[in-house]
Amino acid sequence: MITVVGPGGLAAPVLTALEEHLVSPLAEFARTGSAVLVRAGHGLPLAAGRAARRAGLRLVTVLPSKNGVPAQLRESDRLAAGELLLLSEQVRLLDYDPARRDSCIRAEEHLLGTCTRVLAVWDGKPTNGQDATAHLVAFARSHGLDVDVLQPPGTRRHPAPCRESS
């Protein structure tokens, strides 16, 4: 299982370019029968989900839940989540609150624990307190996961609570 982590708040043209950029590295894993795991939402998760399907990979989408019941997504994430669900071969529920940054980061750590590889859209800089990408890369590496760092042109930090990565 592969997951993609990176900054939230990327502009639409950057996300389109990023989706194109992700297809090639993801296609490398299609031969191994891997799947891509994303947390439902707009931005990078949707770009990664679309790229995964174009690369021939299975897609698994994680929805937030509370006590085993799907939780309501933020309005900005609902349309993207619907598309991800249509693209997905599997949907998983995970208890976390999509409105709380700390809960989202714990959810991302949990997802990383179910993966063997991470594609990180990351500028290589330490955390600035507004993003979690550096933390997630360090977390993945400390748990022995393979991490591939990608820095497509135009990807840079924009604070966006809870929209870090997949």
Side-chain angles (χ1 to χ4, degrees), residues 62-69 93-97 103 106-107 110:
V62 175
L63 289 175
S65 67
K66 183 170 182 165
N67 299 323
V69 177
L93 296 177
L94 179 63
D95 274 1
Y96 74 95
D97 181 351
S103 183
R106 281 194 310 274
H110 177 80

Side-chain angles (χ1 to χ4, degrees), residues 80-110:
E83 182 177 343
L84 284 167
L85 293 176
L86 290 172
L87 293 171
S88 294
E89 290 189 16
Q90 183 180 26
V91 177
R92 295 182 184 174
L93 296 177
L94 179 63
D95 274 1
Y96 74 95
D97 181 351
R100 293 187 43 227
R101 183 178 186 276
D102 63 325
S103 183
C104 292
I105 292 171
R106 281 194 310 274
E108 294 288 354
E109 291 172 347
H110 177 80

Side-chain angles (χ1 to χ4, degrees), residues 29-101:
F29 301 108
R31 292 185 296 264
T32 66
S34 296
V36 171
L37 178 68
V38 297
R39 202 163 39 91
H42 73 286
L44 184 57
L46 182 56
R50 289 173 176 166
R53 294 304 294 188
R54 287 180 50 205
L57 290 163
R58 294 178 297 115
L59 180 63
V60 177
T61 298
V62 175
L63 289 175
S65 67
K66 183 170 182 165
N67 299 323
V69 177
Q72 185 169 353
L73 291 168
R74 294 182 311 176
E75 189 170 331
S76 61
D77 287 329
R78 291 180 195 151
L79 188 59
E83 182 177 343
L84 284 167
L85 293 176
L86 290 172
L87 293 171
S88 294
E89 290 189 16
Q90 183 180 26
V91 177
R92 295 182 184 174
L93 296 177
L94 179 63
D95 274 1
Y96 74 95
D97 181 351
R100 293 187 43 227
R101 183 178 186 276

Side-chain angles (χ1 to χ4, degrees), residues 3-22:
T3 193
V4 181
V5 300
L10 296 174
V14 173
L15 286 168
T16 300
L18 182 57
E19 181 182 328
E20 291 297 320
H21 188 80
L22 284 170

